[in-house]
Amino acid sequence: MTSKKTYTRPDTVLAVAGRDPDNNFGIVNPPVYHASTILSPTMDKFENRIPFEGFGYGRNGTPTQKALEDAVAAIEGAHRSIAVQSGLAAVTGAIVGFLKTGDHMLVTDNAYGPARRFANTTLKGFGVETTYFDPMIGGEGLAKLMRPNTKVVYLEAPGSQTFEVQDVDAMAAVAKKGGATVIIDNTWATPLYFKPFEHGCDISVHAGTKYIVGHSDAMMGIISCATRAMFETAKTACQSFGFHAAPDDCYLALRGLRTMGVRLRHHEKSGLEIANWLKTRPEVDKVLHPGLPDCPGHENWKRQFKGASGLFSFTLRDGIKRPAVAAMLDGMDIFGMGASWGGYESLMIPAHPDQYRTAVPWPEGKQLLRVHIGLEDVEDLKTDLAEGFERLNRAHNA
Ligand SMILES: *Cc1c(COP(=O)(O)O)cnc(C)c1O
């Protein structure tokens, strides 16, 4: 049966949102509608469609896509959400609607690399200027960078390689006062562990590819909007570009979303356990996990977030060089080396913020490893890491 009440407790919302079994033969999950052409019964209905409502053409949305959008909007507290083909499409589609030639955008220096590339190439070419700011600059620091033409303030808390957690409350308030739209990349925390609209953000973007899909088998982007006006701006931009979320991928994302609560609790517990274990290792310098005091912005995380996911980084003691790191990474048994994260499996990659950071340059030669702690048994993960450190030490001392 279709639930009639409105629920607020996250696990229940995850289970009931975006489902309508009463209208689907009692089948639990929304069906996958494959569609390009969608027929209208009358000429009047064909010519007088209500913008952004119903289903008129496959590219602009299907009931499968709408089910996913409704579910994410319910869990994040958005007016409406928009599903698009990838996380990066969510980032670019969300930003572009709020800017025009001559405008200025402020972007946190720890933002996702391809988002920076979009600003530095495409937006720059269209006459939009971008300034990067120190993620730890706070509200007062941000206020000094605001210009009359600053139309977007772009946050990512924490950034997905160096994990500084911005003071979102303070920064959003400053941005709003200056008339800018606040967009946050909320991929790390997911709609469960950070509530962007309770902290002054206007738009939240997700690489649904990560924890929402949760199984490393589909690409997905989500744009969640605080108000009807913001939704119309973002949806218009996405429609203009022809952005589209494919029905099978929407189905996979919706199926992943149902178990995101239990998965995240496991990622969080194991992630913190491994983070604390790494702190005891002599090879490790700092553990950049928002839940630990070493991480810049840990206090902001404590005050503004509801939990931690399974992605964090650690730096290695000074003097450890690339060949030693390669000896560790090349021999890992469980930890895979690959882009993306948020699936059930553990990953570890070298990260190179020195190649893109501008406002706060990364210390030269400082080795950074990013881990995603998956759902495997935590003791097996520790063994894999301990054996990796043995290889690292052997190569370092050779
Ligand atoms: C992966 C990622 C994206 C982009 O998502 P895709 O689905 O890979 O396009 C955006 N932001 C963050 C923080 C990410 O980790």
Side-chain angles (χ1 to χ4, degrees), residues 109 116 132-133 353 356-362:
D109 203 30
R116 296 178 65 114
Y132 294 94
F133 61 84
Y356 59 86
R357 291 292 288 252
T358 50
V360 195
W362 184 253

Side-chain angles (χ1 to χ4, degrees), residues 86-89 91 112 156 160 185 187 207 209-210 219-220 340-341:
S86 71
L88 186 56
V91 170
Y112 181 63
E156 185 178 322
S160 67
D185 185 327
T187 302
T209 309
K210 312 287 166 59
M219 306 297 297
M220 180 57 59
S340 203
W341 42 277

